[in-house]
């Protein structure tokens, strides 16, 4: 079981809905599907995720479940202009919650399914969205937040390769919250869902 706390109300859940079909042995649940926007900021996400992780950990221990079978709890959130990102990352780490982090936003992960990315977006998600190849397509652009299967399926190897190259442009000395652009959503895909291709 993988519980996911998503900052986005549409984008991340629609992406997960598409790819979870490639992880038939994993039960994936959006843990905050009905949460209002005020509960979707990184610090609030992590607080709720740590609380759920504690509950899941206690339940797994009581039932004698081997640690490798314990449920996972993940948070997917962006840099955007949020305060407290470093605190949220630290609390998640300390609470056993995994984070898939994108800078400036999740849309950079979507873009990597189509092209390599270099340079910076100056923290602006709008700059990322304008580079999405389907942003100007009337059938895809009606709700740009909604991820559609043809936008990602068959493109994972390219997205992963592009993410690793993009992330490598930042030295280890650059704090994660300052790496623009950056995403490690591929770690959620592989380590959280056990998917190596879609």
């Amino acid at each position: 079981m993988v519980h996911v706390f998503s900052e986005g109300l549409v984008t991340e859940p629609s992406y997960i809905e598409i790819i979870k079909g490639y992880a038939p042995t994993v039960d994936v649940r959006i843990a905050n599907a009905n949460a209002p926007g005020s509960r979707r900021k990184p610090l609030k996400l992590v607080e709720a995720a740590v609380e759920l992780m504690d509950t899941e950990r206690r339940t797994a221990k009581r039932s004698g479940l081997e640690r490798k079978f314990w449920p996972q709890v993940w948070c997917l959130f962006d840099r955007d202009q949020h305060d407290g990102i470093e605190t949220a990352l630290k609390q998640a780490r300390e609470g056993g919650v995994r984070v898939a982090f994108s800078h400036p936003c999740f849309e950079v992960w979507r873009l990597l399914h189509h092209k390599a990315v270099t340079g910076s977006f100056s923290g602006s998600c709008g700059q990322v969205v304008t580079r999405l190849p389907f942003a100007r397509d009337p059938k895809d652009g009606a709700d740009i937040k909604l991820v559609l299967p043809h936008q990602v399926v068959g493109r994972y190897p390219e997205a992963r390769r592009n993410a690793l190259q993009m992330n490598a442009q930042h030295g280890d000395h650059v704090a994660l919250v300052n790496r623009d652009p950056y995403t490690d959503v591929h770690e959620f895909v592989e380590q959280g869902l056990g998917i190596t291709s879609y």
Side-chain angles (χ1 to χ4, degrees):
M1 167 103 39
V2 176
H3 301 280
V4 183
F5 287 81
S6 164
E7 176 186 350
L9 189 60
V10 175
T11 308
E12 293 89 335
S14 62
Y15 169 75
I16 291 167
E17 190 61 34
I18 293 166
I19 68 165
K20 75 180 187 180
Y22 296 87
T25 61
V26 178
D27 184 6
V28 183
R29 297 186 183 169
I30 304 297
N32 65 330
N34 299 314
S38 62
R39 303 290 305 162
R40 291 180 170 273
K41 305 296 183 209
L43 279 170
K44 294 292 185 185
L45 284 180
V46 169
E47 288 171 6
V50 167
E51 185 177 319
L52 178 60
M53 186 69 232
D54 288 344
T55 300
E56 290 291 335
R57 189 179 293 131
R58 283 192 303 273
T59 302
K61 282 181 182 178
R62 276 196 304 268
S63 64
L65 196 61
E66 287 183 61
R67 189 174 186 88
K68 66 182 178 181
F69 297 116
W70 286 10
Q72 294 183 47
V73 178
W74 283 77
C75 287
L76 273 62
F77 60 81
D78 311 334
R79 176 65 184 101
D80 289 326
Q81 302 302 316
H82 297 301
D83 294 325
I85 295 288
E86 290 174 333
T87 302
L89 292 167
K90 180 178 185 272
Q91 287 177 354
R93 211 172 25 253
E94 291 172 353
V97 170
R98 299 289 308 269
V99 173
F101 176 74
S102 298
H103 190 321
C105 56
F106 186 82
E107 283 69 16
V108 77
W109 173 243
R110 295 174 70 190
L111 179 60
L112 292 168
H113 284 74
H114 301 273
K115 59 175 82 172
V117 173
T118 57
S120 169
F121 291 108
S122 301
S124 171
C125 189
Q127 288 185 28
V128 181
V129 171
T130 61
R131 291 183 57 188
L132 291 171
F134 44 84
R136 289 179 278 292
D137 185 333
K139 71 178 174 58
D140 283 356
D143 184 357
I144 196 67
K145 292 182 179 257
L146 184 65
V147 179
L148 301 173
H150 70 273
Q151 296 170 354
V152 294
V153 172
R155 299 174 181 271
Y156 179 73
E158 179 181 359
R160 183 183 188 280
R161 182 178 58 252
N162 287 339
L164 293 174
Q165 289 173 350
M166 179 186 74
N167 293 347
Q169 73 183 346
H170 306 291
D172 290 338
H173 65 286
V174 179
L176 184 62
V177 299
N178 295 325
R179 296 178 187 187
D180 176 11
Y182 178 88
T183 188
D184 55 17
V185 173
H186 57 281
E187 292 182 9
F188 164 71
V189 171
E190 293 178 6
Q191 297 169 23
L193 304 181
I195 298 171
T196 56
S197 187
Y198 56 74

